[in-house]
Amino acid sequence: MAVFLINPSDHSFGTAVITPRWLYVLAAATPLSYGDPVIVDETLEALVPSTIQSGDFVGIGIHTGNALRGYEVGRLARERGAWVVYGGIHATLYPEEALERGHAHAVVKGDGDVIWSKVLQACMQGSPDKLYEAIKRFFANAASAAAFERPELRATFATVSTHWLRHTFGLHSIANGMALATARNFLGHKDVATTSVYSTEEIAQQYRELDVFLMESTLQDPSRALEVEIAQGRPKRSNGSHPNLDTRNLIGVDAQT
Ligand code: B12
């Protein structure tokens, strides 16, 4: 029962051209109980199919350029009775293709190292899932670690989703000057009005940060209250007290929109 990690290539040059790093990352993530993985980089030397035995585990990493050879390797391995698992950018983008054309038992989307031992174990038990979403698992793990650190935000972290990456992209790209129309194209929105939510939210966030900053400045140094009011552009009350610091009233933009 051996673990094979295979970088497929139609051409074997006999010298390392671009040996990919995932081979070694996954090798390091392979539990010791499975022994040292057999690394096959077909840009160096073609796979010898007869080295694969029934019950072995064959991990194949594909990008678009070597996917077809990868599927061929998967077919060969499956015919020999091995468990066939795909990963890599192409399998992440098109997992169903690896299942249909690559004869996969399972496909890993995203970072394989965080889930590899579980996939091997499931194959060993004879019941792997078809799809392992490593990115979602990674997010879920990070969220529970964050909730442990910040119990007051537990409810928020419970709603964590990889969809947040889209929001982050939308907020940051627009905040850094990307045109709304360009961001719309990247995000695949039909209407730029949908994309504009991100620009509004970014402004709102900046206001919230400004509020906190101004509040802290006043608390730390009351003599700066006047400075704060000038920055906010609103007058002191007639009794000399300071109004609540709420920039939403000042800047004329509703932070909730
Ligand atoms: C570094 C890099 C290069 C380096 C590679 C150096 C090397 N020795 O490997 C160089 C500059 C040479 C390069 C060249 C090319 N690259 Co490049 N490259 C990258 C980059 C930035 C990082 C890849 C990497 O090493 N990541 C670190 C490793 C550890 O992670 P990983 O490969 O993602 O593997 C993880 C998961 O995918 C998964 N996984 C991977 N395989 C497997 C297998 C199994 C069984 C499992 C379970 C999991 C699994 O687990 C791994 C660990 O977590 C990516 C973009 C990116 N940010 O991912 C583009 C990227 C991979 N490259 C890309 C392209 C197009 C190319 C070129 C074709 C460019 C060109 N026109 O020449 C060439 C192809 C080279 C070749 N023959 O393979 C595209 C691929 C797109 C696609 N659909 O296939 C990417 C995604 C960039 C992009 N967004 O367009 N590249």
Side-chain angles (χ1 to χ4, degrees):
M1 179 209 66
V3 174
F4 285 78
L5 298 172
I6 303 176
N7 176 42
S9 174
D10 282 317
H11 305 288
S12 305
F13 306 99
T15 183
V17 182
I18 308 174
T19 295
R21 291 176 286 174
W22 74 265
L23 288 170
Y24 305 99
V25 172
L26 247 68
T30 305
L32 289 175
S33 54
Y34 293 87
D36 285 342
V38 180
I39 290 179
V40 181
D41 179 0
E42 287 203 304
T43 65
L44 281 171
E45 206 170 30
L47 170 73
V48 179
S50 60
T51 54
I52 298 175
Q53 307 297 319
S54 179
D56 284 349
F57 309 94
V58 173
I60 304 164
I62 49 173
H63 54 81
T64 301
N66 68 0
L68 288 178
R69 171 60 189 165
Y71 298 153
E72 176 66 8
V73 168
R75 185 183 62 76
L76 292 169
R78 189 139 180 181
E79 277 173 7
R80 297 193 58 78
W83 293 101
V84 176
V85 182
Y86 284 85
I89 184 70
H90 192 81
T92 297
L93 292 170
Y94 305 107
E96 66 294 338
E97 190 183 279
L99 287 163
E100 285 162 20
R101 300 185 62 175
H103 305 265
H105 288 97
V107 177
V108 172
K109 284 178 75 167
D111 291 344
D113 47 308
V114 295
I115 211 164
W116 183 229
S117 63
K118 295 225 161 17
V119 181
L120 287 172
Q121 192 184 15
C123 290
M124 179 85 106
Q125 289 164 351
S127 54
D129 292 340
K130 286 197 163 160
L131 192 61
Y132 290 86
E133 304 215 48
I135 303 172
K136 288 190 175 169
R137 177 178 286 259
F138 175 79
F139 252 63
N141 289 347
S144 34
F148 185 73
E149 294 281 320
R150 303 278 304 274
E152 74 279 12
L153 293 177
R154 190 167 290 145
T156 305
F157 286 125
T159 66
V160 77
S161 150
T162 47
H163 196 78
W164 287 11
L165 292 171
R166 274 176 70 78
H167 297 322
T168 306
F169 173 80
L171 286 170
H172 285 249
S173 52
I174 292 168
N176 285 296
M178 184 184 282
L180 271 185
T182 312
R184 177 200 55 191
N185 291 344
F186 278 124
L187 289 163
H189 294 148
K190 279 198 185 125
D191 194 333
V192 82
T194 312
T195 319
S196 67
V197 165
Y198 292 116
S199 69
T200 310
E201 175 52 33
E202 182 59 32
I203 290 167
Q205 176 62 26
Q206 286 168 7
Y207 290 166
R208 282 194 289 271
E209 285 173 13
L210 181 63
D211 270 339
V212 171
F213 170 73
L214 293 174
M215 189 75 79
E216 282 174 359
S217 312
T218 339
L219 289 174
Q220 281 165 17
D221 181 3
S223 69
R224 294 191 61 201
L226 180 61
E227 203 182 304
V228 167
E229 286 199 50
I230 291 167
Q232 291 185 318
R234 70 182 149 178
K236 240 181 204 175
R237 286 190 184 128
S238 54
N239 66 4
S241 70
H242 301 298
N244 282 340
L245 297 175
D246 185 348
T247 50
R248 282 169 298 184
N249 300 334
L250 303 165
I251 305 173
V253 175
D254 181 355
Q256 303 308 314
T257 54

